[in-house]
Amino acid sequence: MGANSSSISELPENEYLKKLSGAEPISENDPFWNQLLSFSFTTPTNSADLKLLEEATISVCKSLVEKNPRTGNLGSLIKVFLSRTKELKISAECQNHLFIWQAHNALFIICCLLKVFISQMSEEELQLHFAYEDKAPGSYGTECEDLIEELLCCLIQLIVEVPLLDITYSISLEAVTTLIVFLSCQLFHKEILRESIIHKYLMHGRCLPYTSRLVKTLLYNFIRQERSPPPGTHVFQQQTDGGGLLYGIASGVATGLWTVFTLGGVGSKATPQLEQCSPLANQSLLLLLVLANLTDAPDTPNPYRQAIMSFKNTQDSTAFSSSNPHAFQINFNSLYTALCEQQKSDQATLLLYMLLHQNGNVRTYVLARTDIENLVLPILEILYHVEERNSHHVYMALIILLILTEDDGFNRSIHEVILKNITWYAERVLTEISLGSLLILVVIRTIQYNMTRTRDKYLHTNCLAALANMSAQFRSLHQYAAQRIISLFSLLSKKHNKVLEQATQSLRGSLGSNDSPLPDYAQDLNVIEEVIRMMLEIINSCLTNSLHHNPNLVYALLYKRDLFEQFRTHPSFQDIMQNIDLVISFFSSRLEQAGAELSVERVLEIIKQGAVALPKDRLRKFPELKFKYVEEEQPEEFFIPYVWSLVYNSAVALYWNPHDIQLFTMDSG
């Protein structure tokens, strides 16, 4: 092919690729490898380019699948890569571009081949392909496990040991991506993999001692958000004549140098979308999520999950527990900042959920922050734009709020944080509002959206649980937040009356006909009455614990007092209505004594005076409302498909043929 660029359509006829996938075995010491690996291009970073690449090279890959049992060329290529990575760290320190460049190219080819192999065969068959050597046709050796383990271990060492520089960025990214590809066998199984050959290698043996360093490095890659260096940084820049420095140096090593396709290639401009993100940070986070959600081995728990559950702040000087060998330290301030800044992505929200739910050190640190609004506001924005988000992202955001509201200190502090001009909240201009009141507004909006659209009981329950956890600590509620609490109750009341009327009409109609089955209005009524009960408990909790702090809620309650009449004698609500009825009666009486045509300001003044005068012992005490998030049984049935859907849909993902995917349907991501 020479030193000139080739179009991607010419790849199936490329002489070096044809030789790699041909019938002749190639020794790992053959000069051919220098020729094969001397190509230059910018690694594709979007699935569209990768789809083009896969379609152009699928014939080469299939030929290698067929011929490799006799040639062992896949194993030879891997051994060439392994030999070149031994000096990779020194090459980075010495700025040895040529060495790093060829090692990257070898790994890129391995990754492309592996992806096809894994999508077309079982792990057992893959093992055999790693073992084939230039022997009698169909025979194989006994080194399969060693070569797979050696490659996995080499990739991990590359990620944790090679310094991240402009010239090493691409090979670091490729190593992370190749590990994801190794684990992608899950995509091609409907059932959750509980016993996997690749999982076994990663959880035992030579890979195990690197667990904490790998998790730490992947977290720091996410924290640093290092952008991809300008195209051509990791290879020698091409001159306008197609040769120049690249040709001058590399042609001394490789005769018949081929400079391959330029998918968004060397010297081309990156897309604006890619300029705003870090492919390495994104892929590192995806790999971290995949590793953390591997199922436990029969004899040992997942070490990557253990590492995520137990790491500590660099400022924490307490000793590590001897029961967890995978613990490490990381800068929590940097981690917190990254988590705050990256919440627009599903994967960052899922990481935040995992850390808050599983790592007590992180949870304690986050709850102690004095700038908690930097974390909570992005989460509220996810919920506010519920129509634009997938259901899993909304659930994760909601559960994060539920976990945070389990802490009384959080519930108090959010009402002390005053926000100015929340531009993304469109229903009403909010020039000044507390974080607590804004949180209430967004959660209530989510409930109302759910009532009219998705009607998901799980979402309802978690929204109400978060409000219930906060209710005893409500302070100085914004008048709009107080109105929305009562408006939600009004909506529930109307829905209750409608369902009750439908049930009554249905019952009357059924008396004259025995042909059609009755709709299950009793169940609908039961569900809505549970929600109404919960709302009454939330209002009651606020009134009994912080009445004098919330004149706007009392005002809204009095303004809509007629709403509560029908529930005073209802057997399901009589007990909880006692306090609400008492508050309405007490303040109504004081307003009547003050005369007619009172201004809003005067009414609020009377409410504030009355709140001080109302004897606390007249309000009946109920058990404190406290709800704790509990992960469902077998959470992997939810999280593993979710994580792999994020990998599949990622902006810098590998391309997989959607027809091959078994783990989830294409519309579930």
Side-chain angles (χ1 to χ4, degrees):
M1 187 172 285
N4 298 320
S5 294
S6 71
S7 71
I8 192 169
S9 61
E10 294 173 339
L11 283 175
E13 300 305 316
N14 180 277
E15 60 178 296
Y16 300 106
L17 292 179
K18 287 178 78 172
K19 183 173 181 180
L20 173 67
S21 60
E24 293 298 317
I26 308 168
S27 163
E28 58 197 90
N29 300 315
D30 196 303
F32 162 80
W33 299 110
N34 282 334
Q35 298 167 333
L36 174 71
L37 303 179
S38 296
F39 61 84
S40 169
F41 71 103
T42 299
T43 304
T45 52
N46 64 72
S47 55
D49 284 349
L50 285 158
K51 181 181 179 184
L52 289 175
L53 173 61
E54 173 153 319
E55 289 171 348
T57 56
I58 191 67
S59 61
V60 173
C61 295
K62 286 185 175 179
S63 176
L64 184 63
V65 170
E66 180 187 342
K67 307 282 179 37
N68 187 61
R70 291 184 292 279
T71 66
N73 286 345
L74 175 64
S76 295
L77 172 60
I78 289 168
K79 288 172 184 175
V80 168
F81 169 71
L82 292 172
S83 69
R84 298 193 182 209
T85 56
K86 289 174 183 173
E87 305 297 327
L88 207 54
K89 189 175 180 182
I90 296 172
S91 298
E93 292 167 353
C94 300
Q95 298 284 303
N96 187 334
H97 290 243
L98 179 62
F99 199 90
I100 295 168
W101 169 48
Q102 290 200 335
H104 166 269
N105 289 349
L107 182 55
F108 178 76
I109 295 173
I110 290 168
C111 187
C112 291
L113 294 172
L114 268 178
K115 190 165 69 65
V116 175
F117 275 58
I118 288 172
S119 67
Q120 295 190 359
M121 62 185 68
S122 67
E123 285 187 299
E124 290 74 18
E125 290 174 294
L126 181 67
Q127 265 191 316
L128 297 182
H129 275 280
F130 270 75
Y132 291 130
E133 297 177 23
D134 179 19
K135 293 183 177 182
S139 66
Y140 58 91
T142 58
E143 297 180 0
C144 57
E145 293 187 5
D146 292 340
L147 193 56
I148 292 179
E149 186 172 37
E150 194 171 348
L151 179 55
L152 287 169
C153 199
C154 175
L155 293 172
I156 294 172
Q157 288 172 336
L158 196 161
I159 293 167
V160 303
E161 292 180 352
V162 175
L164 186 60
L165 309 169
D166 279 358
I167 60 171
T168 61
Y169 189 97
S170 286
I171 195 167
S172 297
L173 174 58
E174 205 60 51
V176 172
T177 302
T178 307
L179 279 177
I180 292 175
V181 168
F182 255 122
L183 291 159
S184 67
C185 49
Q186 176 64 79
L187 279 172
F188 310 104
H189 291 80
K190 286 185 178 180
E191 303 298 323
I192 301 301
L193 288 180
R194 301 188 184 277
E195 291 189 19
S196 160
I197 294 168
I198 306 302
H199 295 186
K200 184 182 74 172
Y201 290 136
L202 289 170
M203 292 192 193
H204 298 86
R206 293 171 56 190
C207 295
L208 186 62
Y210 291 96
T211 297
S212 58
R213 290 176 66 190
L214 179 58
V215 171
K216 184 175 182 176
T217 303
L218 295 175
L219 275 173
Y220 269 127
N221 286 347
F222 166 71
I223 288 168
R224 290 171 181 145
Q225 293 289 315
E226 293 281 357
R227 298 194 179 186
S228 182
T233 304
H234 64 295
V235 295
F236 304 105
Q237 289 284 6
Q238 290 176 296
Q239 306 298 316
T240 53
D241 61 3
L245 181 61
L246 170 64
Y247 184 75
I249 293 179
S251 62
V253 179
T255 55
L257 169 78
W258 60 301
T259 304
V260 91
F261 54 93
T262 54
L263 292 172
V266 175
S268 69
K269 291 183 180 178
T271 63
Q273 185 180 18
L274 286 176
E275 286 177 351
Q276 299 302 315
C277 72
S278 165
L280 179 61
N282 185 72
Q283 293 292 77
S284 294
L285 178 52
L286 290 172
L287 175 57
L288 182 64
L289 294 174
V290 170
L291 290 170
N293 285 283
L294 297 179
T295 54
D296 293 335
D299 51 344
T300 52
N302 179 344
Y304 302 96
R305 189 183 302 121
Q306 282 189 310
I308 285 175
M309 290 171 64
S310 58
F311 70 81
K312 301 192 302 184
N313 194 354
T314 47
Q315 297 180 346
D316 188 343
S317 58
T318 58
F320 285 112
S321 169
S322 58
S323 61
N324 189 351
H326 307 298
F328 61 92
Q329 289 181 296
I330 203 166
N331 187 311
F332 276 18
N333 184 56
S334 301
L335 176 61
Y336 181 80
T337 302
L339 287 168
C340 293
E341 292 174 350
Q342 300 300 322
Q343 284 308 307
K344 287 187 175 162
S345 77
D346 279 72
Q347 45 265 44
T349 305
L350 180 54
L351 175 64
L352 175 58
Y353 157 77
M354 283 171 51
L355 295 179
L356 288 176
H357 177 53
Q358 297 177 357
N359 189 313
N361 300 319
V362 173
R363 185 168 59 252
T364 300
Y365 176 86
V366 167
L367 290 168
R369 292 286 300 207
T370 56
D371 59 348
I372 193 69
E373 67 274 14
N374 291 340
L375 187 67
V376 174
L377 281 172
I379 298 299
L380 294 183
E381 210 169 339
I382 293 168
L383 291 175
Y384 183 80
H385 296 294
V386 60
E387 302 94 336
E388 302 165 19
R389 305 289 181 179
N390 70 68
S391 60
H392 289 358
H393 199 183
V394 171
Y395 282 142
M396 289 298 102
L398 192 53
I399 292 168
I400 286 167
L401 286 185
L402 180 56
I403 291 170
L404 293 173
T405 60
E406 291 171 12
D407 183 76
D408 285 340
F410 171 84
N411 295 331
R412 282 190 296 271
S413 67
I414 55 176
H415 293 287
E416 296 166 4
V417 178
I418 305 301
L419 308 167
K420 308 273 189 181
N421 299 315
I422 307 301
T423 54
W424 48 262
Y425 194 93
E427 278 82 353
R428 179 164 171 157
V429 176
L430 300 174
T431 53
E432 186 173 290
I433 189 170
S434 72
L435 179 60
S437 288
L438 181 64
L439 198 159
I440 292 166
L441 284 175
V442 172
V443 171
I444 286 175
R445 185 179 182 276
T446 306
I447 293 172
Q448 291 180 321
Y449 173 83
N450 187 49
M451 284 176 65
T452 56
R453 306 283 182 87
T454 53
R455 300 184 181 182
D456 186 325
K457 186 181 178 183
Y458 181 77
L459 193 136
H460 252 28
T461 302
N462 284 287
C463 283
L464 291 166
L467 287 176
N469 284 347
M470 293 187 290
S471 59
Q473 310 290 339
F474 284 172
R475 294 289 187 277
S476 304
L477 290 184
H478 191 280
Q479 62 181 44
Y480 186 52
Q483 288 170 17
R484 298 311 295 162
I485 290 172
I486 304 304
S487 294
L488 175 58
F489 186 80
S490 173
L491 186 66
L492 291 166
S493 176
K494 289 175 184 174
K495 193 171 180 65
H496 178 266
N497 293 341
K498 184 179 178 181
V499 173
L500 197 58
E501 185 181 345
Q502 287 173 333
T504 305
Q505 289 177 351
S506 175
L507 190 61
R508 285 173 184 163
S510 69
L511 294 176
S513 172
N514 295 322
D515 297 335
S516 56
L518 282 173
D520 193 1
Y521 288 114
Q523 185 178 354
D524 290 348
L525 203 60
N526 185 52
V527 169
I528 192 119
E529 286 185 357
E530 282 181 14
V531 176
I532 287 174
R533 169 85 190 186
M534 191 83 156
M535 278 303 299
L536 288 171
E537 288 180 344
I538 289 166
I539 294 169
N540 179 71
S541 174
C542 176
L543 296 178
T544 53
N545 289 284
S546 52
L547 175 69
H548 56 295
H549 289 300
N550 292 291
N552 284 327
L553 182 62
V554 177
Y555 184 99
L557 200 62
L558 294 172
Y559 191 75
K560 294 282 189 180
R561 71 189 83 175
D562 294 345
L563 276 176
F564 298 88
E565 280 294 326
Q566 63 176 306
F567 299 107
R568 290 175 64 189
T569 56
H570 194 292
S572 298
F573 312 119
Q574 271 183 316
D575 59 335
I576 205 74
M577 276 298 301
Q578 288 178 19
N579 286 341
I580 296 171
D581 196 32
L582 174 63
V583 168
I584 290 173
S585 302
F586 178 81
F587 285 98
S588 295
S589 174
R590 293 182 77 91
L591 290 175
E592 287 171 10
Q593 293 171 17
E597 298 183 10
L598 300 173
S599 67
V600 173
E601 291 75 15
R602 178 60 183 145
V603 171
L604 285 170
E605 186 182 336
I606 293 168
I607 288 172
K608 289 174 185 176
Q609 293 169 352
V612 176
L614 178 65
K616 299 291 184 292
D617 56 3
R618 289 186 62 186
L619 295 174
R620 177 183 167 187
K621 286 288 183 184
F622 285 85
E624 184 183 11
L625 290 179
K626 269 299 171 190
F627 293 88
K628 190 175 178 64
Y629 169 69
V630 179
E631 202 167 66
E632 293 185 14
E633 290 184 18
Q634 293 189 310
E636 65 273 9
E637 299 288 343
F638 169 85
F639 285 105
I640 291 176
Y642 180 32
V643 168
W644 279 106
S645 74
L646 297 182
V647 175
Y648 179 83
N649 291 307
S650 170
V652 288
L654 291 138
Y655 170 76
W656 281 283
N657 188 325
H659 300 295
D660 295 336
I661 305 299
Q662 298 291 318
L663 181 61
F664 48 79
T665 55
M666 288 305 100
D667 59 352
S668 70

